[in-house]
Amino acid sequence: MAQMYRLGLIGYPLEHSLSPRLHQAALRACGLEGEYRLYPVPPSPDCKTALVGLLEQLRRGELAGLNVTIPHKQRVLPLLDELSQAAQAIGAANTILLRDGRLRGENTDAAGFLSDLKRQMGRNTISETPEALVLGAGGAARAVVFALARDNWRVWVAARRREQAEELVSAMRGREYEIAALSLNAPALAELIAHRRITLLVNATPVGMTPLADVSPWPEGVGLPQLAFVYDLVYNPAETPLLQAAKRAGLANANGLGMLIDQAARAFELWTGCLPARQALEQAVQDKP
Ligand code: NAP
Protein backbone atom coordinates (compact mmCIF):
# COMPACT_ATOMS: atom_id res chain seq x y z
CA MET A 1 0.00 0.00 0.00
CA ALA A 2 1.26 3.53 -0.83
CA GLN A 3 2.62 5.51 2.11
CA MET A 4 0.26 8.14 3.51
CA TYR A 5 2.13 11.35 4.41
CA ARG A 6 0.43 12.98 7.38
CA LEU A 7 2.04 16.41 7.66
CA GLY A 8 1.18 19.54 9.57
CA LEU A 9 2.05 22.92 11.04
CA ILE A 10 2.37 23.88 14.71
CA GLY A 11 2.03 27.56 15.59
CA TYR A 12 -0.41 30.25 16.66
CA PRO A 13 -2.38 31.91 15.14
CA LEU A 14 -2.57 29.86 11.92
CA GLU A 15 -5.76 30.96 10.12
CA HIS A 16 -3.90 32.91 7.41
CA SER A 17 -1.13 30.39 6.81
CA LEU A 18 -0.37 29.59 3.17
CA SER A 19 1.43 26.36 4.19
CA PRO A 20 -1.56 24.01 3.69
CA ARG A 21 -1.97 25.23 0.10
CA LEU A 22 1.75 24.87 -0.57
CA HIS A 23 2.07 21.37 0.86
CA GLN A 24 -1.15 20.07 -0.64
CA ALA A 25 0.15 21.28 -4.02
CA ALA A 26 3.48 19.58 -3.25
CA LEU A 27 1.71 16.27 -2.49
CA ARG A 28 -0.13 16.48 -5.83
CA ALA A 29 3.00 17.52 -7.75
CA CYS A 30 4.91 14.54 -6.34
CA GLY A 31 2.00 12.12 -6.82
CA LEU A 32 1.91 11.27 -3.10
CA GLU A 33 -1.01 10.43 -0.81
CA GLY A 34 -1.28 12.61 2.25
CA GLU A 35 -2.65 15.60 4.12
CA TYR A 36 -1.35 18.77 5.75
CA ARG A 37 -3.18 19.86 8.88
CA LEU A 38 -2.98 22.90 11.12
CA TYR A 39 -2.18 22.32 14.80
CA PRO A 40 -2.81 25.65 16.55
CA VAL A 41 -1.04 25.69 19.93
CA PRO A 42 -1.50 28.99 21.79
CA PRO A 43 1.54 30.08 23.80
CA SER A 44 0.55 29.26 27.40
CA PRO A 45 2.43 27.99 30.45
CA ASP A 46 1.32 24.41 29.67
CA CYS A 47 1.77 24.51 25.85
CA LYS A 48 4.80 22.23 26.23
CA THR A 49 2.40 19.31 26.86
CA ALA A 50 0.67 19.92 23.51
CA LEU A 51 4.02 20.25 21.70
CA VAL A 52 5.35 17.03 23.24
CA GLY A 53 2.12 15.25 22.29
CA LEU A 54 2.54 16.20 18.61
CA LEU A 55 6.23 15.31 18.62
CA GLU A 56 5.40 11.89 20.08
CA GLN A 57 3.01 11.29 17.17
CA LEU A 58 5.95 11.97 14.87
CA ARG A 59 8.17 9.62 16.87
CA ARG A 60 5.56 6.83 16.64
CA GLY A 61 5.26 7.34 12.86
CA GLU A 62 1.65 8.57 13.08
CA LEU A 63 2.85 11.87 11.56
CA ALA A 64 5.47 12.03 8.79
CA GLY A 65 6.62 15.61 9.30
CA LEU A 66 5.88 18.87 11.08
CA ASN A 67 6.53 22.51 10.33
CA VAL A 68 6.84 24.91 13.24
CA THR A 69 6.14 28.63 13.13
CA ILE A 70 5.73 31.60 15.47
CA PRO A 71 5.68 31.41 18.49
CA HIS A 72 7.20 27.91 18.89
CA LYS A 73 10.27 27.86 16.60
CA GLN A 74 12.62 28.30 19.56
CA ARG A 75 10.46 26.53 22.14
CA VAL A 76 10.65 23.16 20.37
CA LEU A 77 14.47 23.00 20.39
CA PRO A 78 14.94 21.39 23.84
CA LEU A 79 12.25 18.82 22.98
CA LEU A 80 14.22 17.46 20.00
CA ASP A 81 17.00 14.84 19.91
CA GLU A 82 19.24 16.59 17.37
CA LEU A 83 19.51 19.76 15.30
CA SER A 84 20.90 20.48 11.85
CA GLN A 85 23.82 22.90 11.70
CA ALA A 86 21.49 25.62 10.38
CA ALA A 87 18.87 25.10 13.13
CA GLN A 88 21.61 25.19 15.76
CA ALA A 89 23.27 28.36 14.44
CA ILE A 90 19.96 30.14 13.86
CA GLY A 91 18.55 28.96 17.21
CA ALA A 92 15.22 27.93 15.70
CA ALA A 93 13.67 24.95 13.90
CA ASN A 94 10.90 25.32 11.31
CA THR A 95 10.88 21.69 10.15
CA ILE A 96 10.89 18.47 12.19
CA LEU A 97 11.29 14.90 10.98
CA LEU A 98 12.19 11.50 12.35
CA ARG A 99 15.62 10.31 11.21
CA ASP A 100 17.03 6.98 12.40
CA GLY A 101 14.51 7.00 15.24
CA ARG A 102 15.58 10.47 16.41
CA LEU A 103 13.55 13.69 16.27
CA ARG A 104 15.57 16.10 14.15
CA GLY A 105 15.06 19.86 13.89
CA GLU A 106 15.95 21.57 10.63
CA ASN A 107 15.72 25.17 9.49
CA THR A 108 14.82 25.60 5.83
CA ASP A 109 14.31 29.40 6.04
CA ALA A 110 18.01 30.08 5.46
CA ALA A 111 18.36 27.90 2.37
CA GLY A 112 14.93 29.00 1.13
CA PHE A 113 15.94 32.66 1.39
CA LEU A 114 19.27 32.16 -0.36
CA SER A 115 17.92 30.12 -3.25
CA ASP A 116 15.15 32.62 -3.90
CA LEU A 117 17.56 35.56 -3.55
CA LYS A 118 19.85 34.05 -6.18
CA ARG A 119 16.96 33.36 -8.50
CA GLN A 120 15.66 36.92 -8.05
CA MET A 121 19.02 38.67 -8.30
CA GLY A 122 20.02 36.72 -11.39
CA ARG A 123 22.38 38.83 -13.42
CA ASN A 124 22.52 41.41 -10.62
CA THR A 125 24.66 38.99 -8.60
CA ILE A 126 28.16 40.34 -8.25
CA SER A 127 31.28 38.29 -7.85
CA GLU A 128 33.58 40.06 -5.36
CA THR A 129 32.96 39.85 -1.58
CA PRO A 130 29.51 41.45 -1.60
CA GLU A 131 28.08 43.46 1.29
CA ALA A 132 24.54 43.17 2.63
CA LEU A 133 22.55 45.25 5.09
CA VAL A 134 19.84 43.39 7.03
CA LEU A 135 17.16 45.35 8.90
CA GLY A 136 15.91 43.58 12.05
CA ALA A 137 17.57 41.05 14.32
CA GLY A 138 14.76 38.61 15.20
CA GLY A 139 14.25 34.99 14.12
CA ALA A 140 13.99 35.62 10.36
CA ALA A 141 17.01 37.95 10.42
CA ARG A 142 19.06 35.17 12.03
CA ALA A 143 18.22 32.81 9.16
CA VAL A 144 19.00 35.50 6.56
CA VAL A 145 22.30 36.49 8.20
CA PHE A 146 23.37 32.84 8.56
CA ALA A 147 22.57 32.16 4.89
CA LEU A 148 24.40 35.25 3.62
CA ALA A 149 27.43 34.82 5.87
CA ARG A 150 27.83 31.19 4.77
CA ASP A 151 27.59 32.41 1.18
CA ASN A 152 30.57 34.72 1.83
CA TRP A 153 28.70 37.97 2.13
CA ARG A 154 29.90 40.62 4.56
CA VAL A 155 26.76 41.36 6.59
CA TRP A 156 25.67 44.44 8.52
CA VAL A 157 22.74 43.89 10.90
CA ALA A 158 20.73 46.94 11.94
CA ALA A 159 18.22 46.77 14.80
CA ARG A 160 16.28 49.47 16.62
CA ARG A 161 17.64 47.90 19.82
CA ARG A 162 21.29 47.72 18.88
CA GLU A 163 21.94 45.16 21.63
CA GLN A 164 19.66 42.71 19.79
CA ALA A 165 21.85 43.03 16.67
CA GLU A 166 24.92 42.54 18.85
CA GLU A 167 23.40 39.36 20.35
CA LEU A 168 22.82 38.06 16.83
CA VAL A 169 26.45 38.74 15.93
CA SER A 170 27.70 36.95 19.06
CA ALA A 171 25.42 33.96 18.39
CA MET A 172 27.19 33.49 15.02
CA ARG A 173 30.66 34.05 16.53
CA GLY A 174 33.19 31.25 16.37
CA ARG A 175 32.69 30.86 12.66
CA GLU A 176 34.68 32.71 10.00
CA TYR A 177 31.84 35.06 9.24
CA GLU A 178 32.09 38.82 8.73
CA ILE A 179 29.07 40.23 10.55
CA ALA A 180 28.72 43.55 12.36
CA ALA A 181 25.94 45.27 14.31
CA LEU A 182 24.59 48.80 14.12
CA SER A 183 21.54 50.80 15.14
CA LEU A 184 18.54 51.02 12.85
CA ASN A 185 18.33 54.81 12.69
CA ALA A 186 18.97 57.54 10.12
CA PRO A 187 22.47 58.67 11.20
CA ALA A 188 23.85 55.11 11.51
CA LEU A 189 22.44 53.98 8.14
CA ALA A 190 23.52 57.18 6.35
CA GLU A 191 27.05 56.73 7.71
CA LEU A 192 27.15 53.07 6.65
CA ILE A 193 25.98 53.59 3.10
CA ALA A 194 28.28 56.58 2.63
CA HIS A 195 31.28 54.34 3.32
CA ARG A 196 30.31 50.83 2.17
CA ARG A 197 29.27 49.40 -1.17
CA ILE A 198 26.00 47.79 -0.09
CA THR A 199 24.65 45.61 -2.90
CA LEU A 200 21.80 43.97 -1.00
CA LEU A 201 19.27 45.44 1.43
CA VAL A 202 16.99 42.95 3.26
CA ASN A 203 14.00 43.85 5.40
CA ALA A 204 13.63 41.21 8.12
CA THR A 205 11.30 43.27 10.31
CA PRO A 206 7.48 43.05 10.16
CA VAL A 207 7.35 46.74 9.14
CA GLY A 208 5.40 46.94 5.88
CA MET A 209 3.12 44.05 6.85
CA THR A 210 -0.43 44.60 8.19
CA PRO A 211 -0.96 46.43 10.63
CA LEU A 212 2.19 48.35 9.59
CA ALA A 213 1.41 48.16 5.86
CA ASP A 214 1.82 51.93 5.35
CA VAL A 215 5.24 52.13 6.97
CA SER A 216 8.76 51.54 5.69
CA PRO A 217 11.55 50.24 7.95
CA TRP A 218 13.96 52.56 6.06
CA PRO A 219 14.30 55.93 7.86
CA GLU A 220 13.00 59.05 6.15
CA GLY A 221 15.57 61.48 4.82
CA VAL A 222 18.15 58.80 3.93
CA GLY A 223 18.46 57.62 0.33
CA LEU A 224 18.44 53.88 -0.31
CA PRO A 225 21.86 52.39 -1.11
CA GLN A 226 22.22 53.14 -4.82
CA LEU A 227 23.56 49.76 -5.92
CA ALA A 228 21.35 47.58 -3.78
CA PHE A 229 18.96 44.82 -4.72
CA VAL A 230 16.10 45.27 -2.21
CA TYR A 231 14.55 42.10 -0.76
CA ASP A 232 11.59 42.40 1.63
CA LEU A 233 10.73 39.25 3.60
CA VAL A 234 7.20 40.59 3.90
CA TYR A 235 4.93 39.33 1.09
CA ASN A 236 1.55 40.58 2.26
CA PRO A 237 1.03 43.18 0.81
CA ALA A 238 2.96 42.13 -2.29
CA GLU A 239 4.44 45.61 -2.66
CA THR A 240 5.42 47.17 0.65
CA PRO A 241 6.34 50.86 1.08
CA LEU A 242 10.01 49.78 1.06
CA LEU A 243 9.59 48.01 -2.28
CA GLN A 244 7.68 51.00 -3.67
CA ALA A 245 10.60 53.24 -2.67
CA ALA A 246 13.04 50.79 -4.29
CA LYS A 247 11.01 50.87 -7.49
CA ARG A 248 10.96 54.71 -7.48
CA ALA A 249 14.73 54.68 -7.03
CA GLY A 250 15.10 52.30 -9.98
CA LEU A 251 16.38 49.44 -7.79
CA ALA A 252 15.64 45.80 -8.56
CA ASN A 253 13.57 44.24 -5.80
CA ALA A 254 11.55 41.24 -4.61
CA ASN A 255 9.13 40.36 -1.83
CA GLY A 256 9.33 37.28 0.42
CA LEU A 257 6.83 35.04 -1.36
CA GLY A 258 9.60 33.20 -3.19
CA MET A 259 11.36 32.48 0.11
CA LEU A 260 8.11 31.11 1.55
CA ILE A 261 7.79 28.79 -1.45
CA ASP A 262 11.41 27.64 -1.36
CA GLN A 263 11.48 26.93 2.39
CA ALA A 264 8.29 24.87 2.00
CA ALA A 265 9.69 22.92 -0.96
CA ARG A 266 12.83 22.07 1.01
CA ALA A 267 10.84 20.97 4.07
CA PHE A 268 8.68 18.76 1.85
CA GLU A 269 11.76 17.20 0.29
CA LEU A 270 13.20 16.43 3.74
CA TRP A 271 9.99 14.57 4.71
CA THR A 272 9.27 12.74 1.48
CA GLY A 273 12.46 12.70 -0.64
CA CYS A 274 10.58 14.49 -3.45
CA LEU A 275 11.37 18.11 -4.38
CA PRO A 276 8.08 19.40 -5.81
CA ALA A 277 8.07 21.38 -9.07
CA ARG A 278 8.33 25.05 -8.10
CA GLN A 279 5.72 26.07 -10.63
CA ALA A 280 3.09 23.94 -8.85
CA LEU A 281 3.75 25.76 -5.57
CA GLU A 282 3.78 29.19 -7.23
CA GLN A 283 0.41 28.40 -8.76
CA ALA A 284 -0.97 27.27 -5.39
CA VAL A 285 -0.28 30.63 -3.72
CA GLN A 286 -1.47 32.66 -6.71
CA ASP A 287 -4.82 30.87 -6.85
CA LYS A 288 -7.58 32.52 -4.85
CA PRO A 289 -8.62 30.49 -1.77
P1 NAP B 1 10.65 38.60 15.10
O1 NAP B 1 11.45 37.45 15.58
O2 NAP B 1 9.56 39.15 15.95
O3 NAP B 1 11.71 39.79 14.77
C1 NAP B 1 11.28 41.02 14.25
C2 NAP B 1 12.45 42.01 14.22
O4 NAP B 1 11.94 43.24 13.68
C3 NAP B 1 13.02 42.34 15.58
O5 NAP B 1 14.37 42.72 15.44
C4 NAP B 1 12.16 43.53 15.98
O6 NAP B 1 12.75 44.37 16.96
C5 NAP B 1 12.11 44.27 14.66
N1 NAP B 1 11.00 45.21 14.60
C6 NAP B 1 9.70 44.97 14.91
N2 NAP B 1 8.98 46.09 14.74
C7 NAP B 1 9.84 47.05 14.34
C8 NAP B 1 9.71 48.43 14.03
N3 NAP B 1 8.52 49.04 14.09
N4 NAP B 1 10.81 49.12 13.65
C9 NAP B 1 12.01 48.52 13.59
N5 NAP B 1 12.21 47.22 13.89
C10 NAP B 1 11.14 46.50 14.26
O7 NAP B 1 9.95 38.28 13.71
P2 NAP B 1 10.55 37.34 12.56
O8 NAP B 1 10.06 35.95 12.76
O9 NAP B 1 12.00 37.59 12.47
O10 NAP B 1 9.77 37.90 11.26
C11 NAP B 1 10.10 39.16 10.69
C12 NAP B 1 9.29 39.35 9.39
O11 NAP B 1 9.74 38.42 8.41
C13 NAP B 1 7.78 39.11 9.57
O12 NAP B 1 7.08 40.05 8.80
C14 NAP B 1 7.59 37.72 8.99
O13 NAP B 1 6.29 37.54 8.46
C15 NAP B 1 8.62 37.73 7.87
N6 NAP B 1 9.05 36.38 7.50
C16 NAP B 1 8.91 36.00 6.20
C17 NAP B 1 9.35 34.74 5.80
C18 NAP B 1 9.18 34.33 4.36
O14 NAP B 1 9.23 33.12 4.09
N7 NAP B 1 9.04 35.26 3.46
C19 NAP B 1 9.92 33.85 6.73
C20 NAP B 1 10.06 34.28 8.06
C21 NAP B 1 9.61 35.55 8.43
P3 NAP B 1 12.14 44.36 18.47
O15 NAP B 1 12.55 43.04 19.06
O16 NAP B 1 12.77 45.54 19.08
O17 NAP B 1 10.63 44.46 18.33
Side-chain angles (χ1 to χ4, degrees):
M1 206 174 68
Q3 182 171 353
M4 166 84 176
Y5 287 94
R6 292 185 61 216
L7 309 168
L9 171 65
I10 307 174
Y12 193 85
L14 294 178
E15 297 92 65
H16 300 295
S17 172
L18 292 174
S19 293
R21 281 205 244 167
L22 286 167
H23 288 285
Q24 280 148 11
L27 285 163
R28 283 193 299 276
C30 287
L32 299 173
E33 289 288 318
E35 61 178 24
Y36 188 94
R37 289 179 54 182
L38 297 177
Y39 297 102
V41 177
S44 66
D46 58 354
C47 68
K48 187 177 159 192
T49 313
L51 297 177
V52 169
L54 286 161
L55 293 174
E56 284 310 308
Q57 289 190 47
L58 192 51
R59 203 187 282 284
R60 290 194 298 267
E62 294 162 18
L63 290 173
L66 285 167
N67 277 140
V68 188
T69 188
I70 291 172
H72 299 305
K73 279 185 183 184
Q74 286 91 23
R75 197 171 276 126
V76 292
L77 295 189
L79 309 177
L80 303 175
D81 302 323
E82 62 186 35
L83 297 176
S84 68
Q85 197 199 10
Q88 195 154 21
I90 295 162
N94 74 338
T95 302
I96 306 176
L97 60 145
L98 194 67
R99 197 170 85 171
D100 301 328
R102 292 167 66 76
L103 287 175
R104 179 175 172 83
E106 301 264 0
N107 191 309
T108 64
D109 279 338
F113 164 75
L114 195 64
S115 63
D116 187 56
L117 177 75
K118 290 193 167 179
R119 177 183 310 107
Q120 302 280 3
M121 283 186 83
R123 280 184 294 125
N124 294 315
T125 312
I126 33 143
S127 51
E128 84 265 28
T129 304
E131 299 201 35
L133 169 57
V134 177
L135 309 180
R142 280 183 177 234
V144 166
V145 171
F146 175 75
L148 291 172
R150 290 232 312 180
D151 196 48
N152 297 320
W153 289 72
R154 180 173 294 153
V155 188
W156 305 88
V157 189
R160 61 178 170 180
R161 293 180 294 116
R162 188 188 159 127
E163 65 275 16
Q164 192 190 32
E166 278 161 2
E167 274 166 34
L168 190 161
V169 173
S170 347
M172 306 269 165
R173 200 165 281 152
R175 302 179 172 86
E176 304 279 300
Y177 301 151
E178 288 192 69
I179 313 173
L182 70 151
S183 298
L184 202 177
N185 60 34
L189 295 184
E191 166 86 5
L192 180 80
I193 63 174
H195 293 100
R196 311 299 315 191
R197 192 171 181 273
I198 301 295
T199 49
L200 173 65
L201 171 64
V202 182
N203 174 36
T205 78
V207 183
M209 187 174 78
T210 314
L212 297 171
D214 296 335
V215 193
S216 169
W218 190 257
E220 273 181 39
V222 183
L224 290 168
Q226 287 177 3
L227 301 169
F229 184 95
V230 181
Y231 193 105
D232 199 331
L233 260 57
V234 173
Y235 50 84
N236 189 10
E239 198 171 79
T240 60
L242 175 66
L243 295 185
Q244 287 164 9
K247 213 172 175 181
R248 284 195 301 276
L251 302 177
N253 59 84
N255 68 27
L257 193 59
M259 170 180 174
L260 183 80
I261 291 172
D262 280 10
Q263 63 76 28
R266 283 161 189 272
F268 191 85
E269 186 184 24
L270 285 167
W271 297 323
T272 66
C274 173
L275 183 65
R278 196 168 195 284
Q279 208 184 358
L281 305 200
E282 282 170 2
Q283 188 66 48
V285 287
Q286 274 154 18
D287 290 345
K288 295 272 176 260

